[in-house]
Amino acid sequence: MHARQGAAILALGLLLTGLAQAQTASEAEAQARKIIGGSCFLCHGSDGESASEVFPRLAAQNAEYIAKQLEQFKSGARKSTAMASMVTKLSPEDMRALGQFYASRPAHQEPPKDAPLASVGQYIYQQGNKFSGVPACATCHGKQGAGSDSLPRLAGQHAAYLETQLKLFNKRERTNDNAVMHSVVEKMTLLEMAAVSEFLSGL
């Protein structure tokens, strides 16, 4: 009898915990949607799909990476006139909620616009360039460009946006995560930057 009671209490506890977690997740999503509906959707789309190559796609981006970037926009570690005003009032909880929301959205998938250029990019991304010392991008960002908690998902991103970021890293005009990326892109030609970006846009 006691064993059954214990099992019943445990099951009830697990049920209540699950319900509490579901409620918390639901509240976080509602908060994220409220913030997105107020401003984010103008540039990034309501589900992070971003129709403009000027602004990054956030759909399926890694949650912790998004929260980190938002915090660094707010602190000034990453410079952006447009984003600085958007993140001023965001709390750490808001940033985590936004990260979790965008991470849950479906990834964008479409073939690259320039297949021959993408083929060159695929080689550089996967193998690097042993003649110039460019390392394989896949070493850090993964074979499928999925990144990690601390590194961005690159697969399915706008080619033009990726190429712009590589150029900013090279000129040290992007002020966060610059030490590692500068050592990579300083060896890349403009053709290699464009090619890798084109490949990733269709990955």
Side-chain angles (χ1 to χ4, degrees):
M1 184 65 177
H2 292 298
R4 288 182 180 178
Q5 288 178 333
I9 292 172
L10 177 60
L12 179 60
L14 292 173
L15 176 61
L16 292 174
T17 299
L19 290 173
Q21 290 175 341
Q23 183 177 14
T24 300
S26 178
E27 290 172 352
E29 180 173 339
Q31 178 64 5
R33 286 188 180 278
K34 181 179 178 181
I35 296 169
I36 292 166
S39 57
C40 309
F41 80 97
L42 294 170
C43 298
H44 299 288
S46 59
D47 281 322
E49 69 276 17
S50 178
S52 170
E53 293 187 341
V54 175
F55 308 111
R57 289 185 173 122
L58 301 179
Q61 184 57 269
N62 301 315
E64 290 186 26
Y65 179 78
I66 288 178
K68 172 189 171 185
Q69 297 307 303
L70 290 172
E71 187 281 322
Q72 293 191 342
F73 279 128
K74 186 172 183 176
S75 70
R78 181 172 177 180
K79 307 295 184 184
S80 170
T81 303
M83 286 299 300
S85 61
M86 297 293 178
V87 299
T88 302
K89 297 181 180 180
L90 293 183
S91 68
E93 291 75 20
D94 292 334
M95 296 177 187
R96 287 194 292 271
L98 287 167
Q100 291 165 2
F101 174 81
Y102 283 126
S104 71
R105 300 299 92 185
H108 183 87
Q109 291 184 313
E110 65 179 26
K113 296 181 177 67
D114 188 333
L117 183 63
S119 295
V120 175
Q122 180 177 8
Y123 182 86
I124 299 298
Y125 184 85
Q126 295 177 345
Q127 306 295 327
N129 184 343
K130 64 180 180 181
F131 300 102
S132 62
V134 175
C137 313
T139 302
C140 292
H141 292 282
K143 291 182 179 180
Q144 299 302 315
S148 65
D149 288 343
S150 59
L151 294 171
R153 175 188 175 88
L154 303 178
Q157 189 57 266
H158 290 300
Y161 178 80
L162 291 174
E163 188 176 355
T164 296
Q165 295 306 303
L166 289 172
K167 290 177 179 177
L168 290 175
F169 277 127
N170 189 37
K171 293 184 289 185
R172 291 188 181 273
E173 292 180 10
R174 177 161 170 181
T175 50
N176 70 327
D177 304 322
N178 202 20
V180 174
M181 283 302 300
H182 180 76
S183 65
V184 174
V185 296
E186 68 179 352
K187 300 180 179 70
M188 296 180 75
T189 66
L190 292 177
L191 172 62
E192 289 172 333
M193 292 182 195
V196 168
S197 299
E198 187 68 18
F199 166 66
L200 286 166
S201 72
L203 191 59

